[in-house]
Amino acid sequence: MTTKSEKIKANYIDHISVAVYDVLKAEQDYCRIFGWDVAWRYHDPGTHINVSCFEVGPTTFELMEDEFSGGWYELQDENGNVVLNGPGDKTKWVKKSTPQPKGKMDQVGKWLEKQGREGVQLISINVDNAVDATNKFKANGGQIIPFMGKEVQYWEDAKRNYTFLHPKPLHGIILEVIDGKYWHQK
């Protein structure tokens, strides 16, 4: 006898994260090839990533670099002040005068090193409540990737909860459930 799994209501693909070696070069390539404009840029000091975001319908397409695996940039606003995030038309990546030392990689850098190439690292599914979705996922037999000792994380700057789902039962893909919206989404 099989038990019925609890349905996790997915609203849409929230974001797709592509791990890259150089966020500025990747950003320039996507702008040139697709004619896109950067919607938002951010630096997350907790996970040591620099990210450029494009809007593709309701989905955010992210280019992420690990600041310790070649991330030589800081994010500046129009006045040259270092900021953590901002709209694409009001921020830019600027070469750091003193680059981060290589070799102290965090999650994105370790993923790049393990894969030996750039590529899609994560697909994120928007849900109404990440805590509820996480509990259903676990009840359905899914595995969580705890981060810093917690299953559900809270992203303070964006006011969003999220959980990473282990790739083994998901056939090799890291999925994330996340609630709320990005700064640039209405």
Side-chain angles (χ1 to χ4, degrees), residues 1 3 23 26 33 35 54-56 59 84 87 111 119 121 126 129 147 152 154 156-157 169-170:
M1 181 174 122
T3 58
V23 72
I33 292 168
F54 300 95
E55 290 181 330
V56 182
T59 303
L84 289 180
W111 186 90
Q121 183 200 25
N126 185 277
N129 183 305
F147 186 69
V152 179
Y154 181 67
E156 177 67 37
D157 289 340
L170 299 173

Side-chain angles (χ1 to χ4, degrees), residues 163-177:
T163 301
F164 294 113
L165 311 177
H166 200 283
K168 188 167 184 165
L170 299 173
H171 301 268
I173 189 85
I174 298 174
L175 289 176
E176 172 188 50
V177 291

Side-chain angles (χ1 to χ4, degrees), residues 43 74-77 81-86 91:
H43 168 71
E74 63 188 13
L75 188 59
Q76 293 184 2
D77 66 13
N81 300 311
V82 175
V83 295
L84 289 180
N85 62 66
T91 58

Side-chain angles (χ1 to χ4, degrees), residues 24-36:
L24 180 59
K25 179 178 182 332
E27 176 185 296
Q28 291 168 344
D29 289 342
Y30 276 81
C31 288
R32 177 180 50 81
I33 292 168
F34 287 98
W36 293 348

Side-chain angles (χ1 to χ4, degrees), residues 127-137 152 161-163 177 179:
V127 296
D128 291 335
N129 183 305
V131 173
D132 181 53
T134 299
N135 290 333
K136 287 179 180 176
F137 183 75
V152 179
N161 294 296
Y162 63 96
T163 301
V177 291
D179 55 28

Side-chain angles (χ1 to χ4, degrees), residues 52-66:
S52 292
C53 302
F54 300 95
E55 290 181 330
V56 182
T59 303
T60 298
F61 188 85
E62 297 183 335
L63 302 171
M64 307 182 305
E65 76 171 4
D66 186 311

